[in-house]
Amino acid sequence: MGAAWIAATLAACGGGGGDGASGSPSTGAPAAAPATAASAPAAPAAASTTPATSTPATSTPATSTTTPTGSAATPTSEKTFPDRVVEALNAARAVPRSCGGTAFPAAGPLRWQAQTEQAALAQAQYLQQNNLFTHTGANGSSVGDRLTATGYTWQSVGENLAAGYTDFAAVLQGWIDSPGHCVNVMNGNYVDVGVVLVQGTSSNTYRTYWAMVLGRPR
């Protein structure tokens, strides 16, 4: 079954914001297209749909199962899902890299945060339950709206979505290979993260729905 990916970024002095990035599941060739996210002020965002690449994601659902990448030094069985996800993200951020031709220095480490996880879970469940693939959530909500609803007062927020991938290592590599998603991963302004995996059913286009929400509190 195919896979897809999509990313969005918002930046503002506080509160929620709308984003205009969205994508529909596709079975064509891999593709990535820049998009914009509306907020005040708005920061770059990217949206893309791809059949054989990973989908950016935000947060990890309490009911999901997956096998994220882990450290070679410590058996992955001894680490929790959040531990393995944060370890993989921080390893990626620790290396300077180019995202679509834009050079990014190494970024500081992220920490797992329950409210970013909650916001990611809300969107991943919404996508799975409605068989959709878009940054727009229930009642037209944006990622900023969803994070604000958790009680998190944010200065900046970003969201990556993915679908069809069985493990976080593949999802993360797909984000790194996609300029817009890579920017979210390497953005040193973010300090909090939550990643979620929701399993699809036989009625869904994709077998898995991933969401990652990144934030910086005000």
Side-chain angles (χ1 to χ4, degrees):
M1 189 169 291
W5 31 277
I6 185 169
T9 304
L10 300 177
C13 295
D19 68 78
S22 64
S24 300
S26 169
T27 56
T36 55
S39 69
S48 58
T49 57
T50 279
T53 24
S54 69
T55 305
T58 58
S59 186
T60 304
T63 56
S64 68
T65 56
T66 186
T67 311
T69 184
S71 165
T74 305
T76 55
S77 60
E78 297 179 10
K79 297 185 177 182
T80 65
F81 178 84
D83 287 343
R84 287 176 280 166
V85 167
V86 169
E87 181 179 271
L89 284 168
N90 286 341
R93 285 164 63 91
V95 180
R97 67 180 72 248
S98 176
C99 298
T102 301
F104 281 82
L110 296 167
R111 64 195 176 197
W112 192 268
Q113 208 277 341
Q115 289 162 304
T116 56
E117 177 186 6
Q118 187 179 343
L121 177 57
Q123 187 63 3
Q125 289 181 328
Y126 175 78
L127 298 180
Q128 185 274 319
Q129 291 167 2
N130 294 278
N131 198 33
L132 295 172
F133 191 66
T134 172
H135 284 292
T136 303
N139 301 313
S141 67
S142 69
V143 59
D145 296 329
R146 293 186 289 274
L147 189 54
T148 297
T150 69
Y152 187 106
T153 303
W154 55 270
Q155 182 181 73
S156 57
V157 56
E159 177 178 78
N160 282 0
L161 301 176
Y165 291 87
T166 58
D167 62 75
F168 186 68
V171 172
L172 180 56
Q173 188 60 54
W175 293 341
I176 290 173
D177 292 341
S178 168
H181 304 79
C182 178
V183 168
N184 274 356
V185 171
M186 294 301 297
N187 189 332
N189 192 45
Y190 297 135
V191 296
D192 294 325
V193 68
V195 176
V196 168
L197 164 62
V198 169
Q199 300 288 348
T201 68
S202 59
S203 63
N204 286 125
T205 300
Y206 298 106
R207 292 182 297 173
T208 58
Y209 291 83
W210 295 81
M212 177 174 73
V213 172
L214 305 113
R216 183 182 188 88
R218 187 166 45 173

